[in-house]
Structure formats: C-alpha cells, structure tokens
C-alpha cells in the first residue's frame, strides 16, 4: 500500500512540474490537460485519474507553489534566530527574492488575470494569500505586541499587497529587475518600520 501511495505521489509531482512548465511557456489560454499529459509523459487517462478537470489541476498547482513558498518562509525564519526583527527581515528577503523566479513571476499574474473573470481563480487566489497573510500577521504581532488584532490584520494585508505588487516591476525579466536589490532594501526597511511604528487610529 505504501509503495502504491509513493508512486501516486511521484506521479502527481511529475504532473505538477509539467503543468507549471506549460503554464509558464504558454499561459492559461494554451494550458490544456492533453498538453500537460504529453509533457509529463503519461496518458490523458492517467492525468484525469489524479486531476479530472483543468480547474482542479490549476488549484493543485497553486497549492503546490504556495506550499513551497510557505515552507521557505518557515525555514528562513527558523534560521534567523530569536529576534522578531531578524525573522521578519528574513521572510521579507526570501519573499522578494522569490518574486524573481520565472515560476512566481508568470504564475501568479496569470491567476490575478483569471480572477477578473473566473470565480474558481478568485477562490484559489484568496486561499493562497490567506496563508501568506497569516505568516505576516504573526511576524507583525511578534515585532509589535501592543497592536490591536484589527491593526495587525490591516498591516498584513497592506504588506501582502505591497510585496506582490512588486512582481510586475522587479520580477523575472521585468522592467526594473536590475534594481531588485535596491528596491528590496527599501521595501524591507519601510515595512519593518511600518509594523514597529504603527498605532491604532484614535
């Protein structure tokens, strides 16, 4: 039974890697289950067994990519030590560096575009960013324990939007990619200061 499970997991991993490649190279309009099956070197029937629809495959692909990023946050935060600011800076540094990967640069804007017209994409994006927002809330709360929960959430939403917005400017082969390091330093310093100095409206 364990061997069967491992083989199934390996097949899913192969499918998701092939799906990512197709989406990056051809965009959502060129993304078909048949192309993914061909790239994964499996039958369309085998692909349908794991992911019966295009929507389910896109959902799984976003979850796969999000999980990779979240695991990265966890690792760099643990490696940064006990200082709340050092952990915060480590996560922000990892996040902004990840924006330069072709996978992140291409995939997430495709989801943003789809979410303008498709409910499944809106739900998928919301679920993905909820994980990121939760991590930011923890970092903000640790850095400034005196903040109200409402303000912690607002700051996390603002930070998430600000960080993701950088993708279209400093992402892979984007117009300001050469200024990545300078923009990253400004972003990290200002987001840390925003969390440290935030005060509830009176």
């Amino acid at each position: 039974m364990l061997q069967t499970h491992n083989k199934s997991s390996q097949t899913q991993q192969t499918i998701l890697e092939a799906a990512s490649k197709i989406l990056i190279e051809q965009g959502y309009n060129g993304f078909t289950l048949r192309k993914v099956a061909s790239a994964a070197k499996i039958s369309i029937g085998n692909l349908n067994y794991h992911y019966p629809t295009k929507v389910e495959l896109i959902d799984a692909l976003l979850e796969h990519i999000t999980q990779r990023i979240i695991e990265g946050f966890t690792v760099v935060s643990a490696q940064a030590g006990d200082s709340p600011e050092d952990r915060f800076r480590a996560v922000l540094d990892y996040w902004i560096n990840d924006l330069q990967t072709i996978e992140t640069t291409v995939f997430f804007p495709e989801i943003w575009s789809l979410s303008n017209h498709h409910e499944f994409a809106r739900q998928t994006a919301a679920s993905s960013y909820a994980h990121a927002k939760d991590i930011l809330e923890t970092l903000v709360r640790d850095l400034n324990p005196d903040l109200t929960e409402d303000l912690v959430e607002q700051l996390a939403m603002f930070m998430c939007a600000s960080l993701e917005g950088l993708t279209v400017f400093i992402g892979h082969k984007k117009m300001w990619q050469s200024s990545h390091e300078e923009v990253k330093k400004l972003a990290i310093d200002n987001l840390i200061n925003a969390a440290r100095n935030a005060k509830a409206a009176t």
Side-chain angles (χ1 to χ4, degrees):
M1 182 66 73
L2 180 60
Q3 185 176 1
T4 301
H5 174 73
N6 288 341
K7 185 175 181 180
S8 178
S9 297
Q10 185 176 21
T11 300
Q12 289 176 355
Q13 180 71 23
T14 300
I15 292 170
L16 293 173
E17 289 173 0
S20 178
K21 182 174 184 291
I22 295 297
L23 192 68
I24 287 170
E25 293 178 352
Q26 302 185 36
Y28 183 77
N29 289 334
F31 184 89
T32 68
L33 295 182
R34 195 164 296 280
K35 287 179 181 178
V36 173
S38 177
K41 295 181 171 56
I42 62 174
S43 69
I44 188 67
N46 195 359
L47 175 59
N48 287 146
Y49 172 79
H50 294 281
Y51 304 106
T53 68
K54 185 175 177 179
V55 168
E56 288 176 273
L57 180 52
I58 291 288
D59 280 343
L61 182 55
L62 183 55
E63 182 179 347
H64 173 70
I65 293 173
T66 300
Q67 187 60 36
R68 172 186 63 77
I69 296 171
I70 297 301
E71 287 173 358
F73 291 165
T74 302
V75 169
V76 298
S77 178
Q79 291 173 342
D82 296 329
S83 165
E85 180 172 335
D86 288 347
R87 292 198 301 271
F88 209 154
R89 286 184 178 276
V91 169
L92 294 177
D93 184 83
Y94 179 91
W95 190 324
I96 297 173
N97 283 340
D98 187 74
L99 298 181
Q100 289 214 55
T101 65
I102 187 171
E103 183 180 54
T104 295
T105 296
V106 174
F107 187 77
F108 284 94
E110 284 284 340
I111 294 297
W112 302 340
S113 178
L114 283 172
S115 68
N116 289 325
H117 307 285
H118 299 282
E119 181 60 29
F120 91 88
R122 284 190 286 272
Q123 293 176 356
T124 296
S127 175
S128 174
Y129 286 114
H131 294 302
K133 186 171 77 70
D134 286 346
I135 288 173
L136 287 172
E137 286 180 4
T138 298
L139 293 167
V140 169
R141 198 179 292 113
D142 289 346
L143 186 66
N144 192 343
D146 294 331
L147 296 178
T148 65
E149 284 304 305
D150 283 347
L151 189 49
V152 167
E153 183 179 17
Q154 291 164 18
L155 282 165
M157 287 190 291
F158 168 73
M159 291 177 181
C160 192
S162 299
L163 291 163
E164 290 299 273
L166 291 175
T167 306
V168 296
F169 297 104
I170 64 171
H172 181 75
K173 293 186 177 180
K174 296 301 182 182
M175 63 188 84
W176 297 336
Q177 185 181 9
S178 61
S179 299
H180 171 86
E181 288 299 323
E182 295 86 349
V183 172
K184 179 175 71 173
K185 184 179 185 308
L186 281 170
I188 292 174
D189 287 346
N190 281 281
L191 292 176
I192 292 290
N193 286 335
R196 181 187 290 116
N197 300 320
K199 294 180 181 179
T202 57

